[in-house]
Amino acid sequence: MLVVEWVPQAYLKSFRVFLRLFLVLFFLNNHLYAESLSLTDEDSIKSVVKQQLEAFSNDDFEKAYSFASPTIKKMFSSPEVFRKMVIGGYQAVYRPQSIKMGSVEIIKGVTTLKVYLVDPNGEFVTANYLMEKQENGEWLISGCILSIAESDEI
């Protein structure tokens, strides 16, 4: 009987040690990944988003579409389909009254640029641009998540 109770306790203790080690390595890995983002990467990311926003302001959807990742291009098969999606659901990035670039962060393993906008109706919006580095080193936009901004200061 003692052996039966002792074995589960030993496994439980080993599991706890393993879990602690896993968590330490997980957070260390995320920390190291976040620090591996260079200033050049951050500048490139901000440049890509600025260029896409400028293309939207000029109704140049061919150019705007060129900053979309392959995943986005699979979802929206042409600049025209992309245009309809942007105009229909992303007025804050299509016609912002104001734009302020925020920080580049790693959120749940995804490189993300925060952009603070005032939409055409005067609402304060945060756009989280999900970025994807390509094999050639180029950064492209793999998504944009809009949310109500936490502040009215942009």
Side-chain angles (χ1 to χ4, degrees), residues 97-133:
Q97 292 180 21
S98 177
I99 302 169
K100 181 179 178 187
M101 292 288 156
S103 60
V104 178
E105 302 173 12
I106 308 297
I107 301 174
K108 296 185 180 181
V110 178
T111 303
T112 305
L113 170 62
K114 291 187 175 291
V115 179
Y116 304 100
L117 307 161
V118 178
D119 77 6
N121 298 320
E123 298 291 326
F124 291 81
V125 175
T126 300
N128 289 295
Y129 278 87
L130 312 179
M131 305 301 295
E132 185 179 288
K133 193 168 191 176

Side-chain angles (χ1 to χ4, degrees), residues 61 79-90:
F61 283 90
E80 179 59 25
V81 174
F82 184 69
R83 181 187 75 79
K84 289 177 183 176
M85 179 272 299
V86 170
I87 292 173
Y90 287 84

Side-chain angles (χ1 to χ4, degrees), residues 7-151:
V7 172
Q9 289 296 323
Y11 284 125
L12 183 59
K13 186 176 180 179
S14 296
F15 177 73
R16 286 181 184 153
V17 170
F18 170 77
L19 184 60
R20 285 184 189 138
L21 180 61
F22 173 78
L23 291 173
V24 167
L25 291 175
F26 175 78
F27 287 112
L28 180 62
N29 184 45
N30 281 347
H31 180 69
L32 291 174
Y33 177 70
E35 288 187 351
S36 71
L37 203 59
S38 71
L39 290 176
T40 302
D41 284 328
E42 289 186 26
D43 290 344
S44 296
I45 288 166
K46 289 180 180 182
S47 176
V48 166
V49 172
K50 284 179 187 176
Q51 289 178 73
Q52 188 181 63
L53 289 168
E54 184 177 312
F56 288 148
S57 73
N58 295 325
D59 284 321
D60 186 349
F61 283 90
E62 292 277 340
K63 185 170 184 179
Y65 188 70
S66 74
F67 299 111
S69 71
T71 304
I72 295 298
K73 289 179 177 177
K74 285 180 185 174
M75 293 170 58
F76 305 100
S77 58
S78 70
E80 179 59 25
V81 174
F82 184 69
R83 181 187 75 79
K84 289 177 183 176
M85 179 272 299
V86 170
I87 292 173
Y90 287 84
Q91 283 291 307
V93 297
Y94 176 56
R95 290 292 186 255
Q97 292 180 21
S98 177
I99 302 169
K100 181 179 178 187
M101 292 288 156
S103 60
V104 178
E105 302 173 12
I106 308 297
I107 301 174
K108 296 185 180 181
V110 178
T111 303
T112 305
L113 170 62
K114 291 187 175 291
V115 179
Y116 304 100
L117 307 161
V118 178
D119 77 6
N121 298 320
E123 298 291 326
F124 291 81
V125 175
T126 300
N128 289 295
Y129 278 87
L130 312 179
M131 305 301 295
E132 185 179 288
K133 193 168 191 176
Q134 307 305 296
E135 289 183 14
N136 66 1
E138 178 183 29
W139 285 94
L140 295 176
I141 300 166
S142 63
C144 181
I145 301 169
L146 301 179
S147 61
I148 302 298
E150 295 177 12
S151 171

